[in-house]
Amino acid sequence: IRWRLMGLVTFFNVLFSFVATEYMRGMSNDALKQCLGVVLILIALYFLFGEGRMGKVFKSRPAQVTIGSISGVMGGMFAMPGPPLVLYCISTLEDKREYVTTLQAFSVVFNVFYTVFRFKAGFYSEDTWLWWVIGVGGAMIGSSLGARCFDVISNRTLKRIVYVMMIVSGMVAIL
């Protein structure tokens, strides 16, 4: 885990996720999905065609503040802080093992805060825990399958898969 890359990103993510969670209470679900879809597609296209030019830029403090803020807004509004973080990690970390472990560390830290923020905002219902258990099961299956593929996928292929999946996710959210 590359802890030194996480400080500013984490601070601004948590700050902006709190603000976004409070703000999104008044937005419709359809509006949120369409915003998310557009954001995912634009970010993925930018990185798909701008790959290789962002590593040094992302290591700067202003870029880390920006990534943390965007990720926080996406986490607070869409429960999906990952895309900016994925792009940040994939652009700054050359080794795919560092990429995966640092991204997982971000995920653990942020999900603790997001859970508290959403609980405080009243977003959990009686069914939440059932869906959480189902989601954990799906995550375990996906992690198991991903681990089997991880060693055979090159860094370049991994990046391309990430970008394409973000575009597909964006299109699904819009439709």
Side-chain angles (χ1 to χ4, degrees):
I1 299 172
R2 300 287 298 273
W3 296 106
R4 74 173 199 277
L5 295 177
M6 293 180 62
L8 281 174
V9 175
T10 300
F11 176 80
F12 281 93
N13 177 288
V14 170
L15 175 67
F16 276 82
S17 68
F18 175 76
V19 172
T21 300
E22 293 297 315
Y23 173 76
M24 60 133 346
R25 286 193 220 189
M27 293 184 72
S28 74
N29 198 33
D30 289 338
L32 287 170
K33 284 182 185 178
Q34 290 184 342
C35 288
L36 173 62
V38 170
V39 168
L40 287 174
I41 291 169
L42 291 176
I43 290 173
L45 287 172
Y46 179 78
F47 279 87
L48 186 61
F49 296 109
E51 185 180 354
R53 295 183 282 237
M54 298 309 295
K56 290 181 182 178
V57 172
F58 274 162
K59 290 181 182 176
S60 72
R61 289 181 190 265
Q64 291 173 351
V65 168
T66 302
I67 291 297
S69 301
I70 293 170
S71 175
V73 168
M74 290 182 70
M77 292 181 75
F78 311 122
M80 193 176 205
L85 295 172
V86 165
L87 299 172
Y88 170 68
C89 289
I90 215 164
S91 296
T92 57
L93 300 169
E94 295 296 323
D95 180 69
K96 65 184 179 181
R97 292 188 193 289
E98 287 181 349
Y99 159 75
V100 168
T101 56
T102 303
L103 197 55
Q104 288 173 343
F106 272 126
S107 181
V108 168
V109 170
F110 295 161
N111 280 312
V112 168
F113 282 101
Y114 295 168
T115 300
V116 170
F117 296 160
R118 286 190 183 91
F119 184 79
K120 180 187 166 291
F123 290 142
Y124 294 126
S125 69
E126 294 174 10
D127 296 344
T128 299
W129 300 111
L130 170 65
W131 291 109
W132 181 84
V133 169
I134 292 169
V136 167
M140 291 173 69
I141 292 168
S143 294
S144 175
L145 294 173
R148 291 182 183 155
C149 299
F150 187 74
D151 288 332
V152 297
I153 295 176
S154 71
N155 284 349
R156 181 178 171 89
T157 302
L158 178 64
K159 288 180 181 183
R160 299 285 180 197
I161 290 170
V162 167
Y163 301 147
V164 169
M165 290 307 296
M166 283 179 65
I167 291 169
V168 170
S169 295
M171 292 188 319
V172 168
I174 290 172
L175 300 174

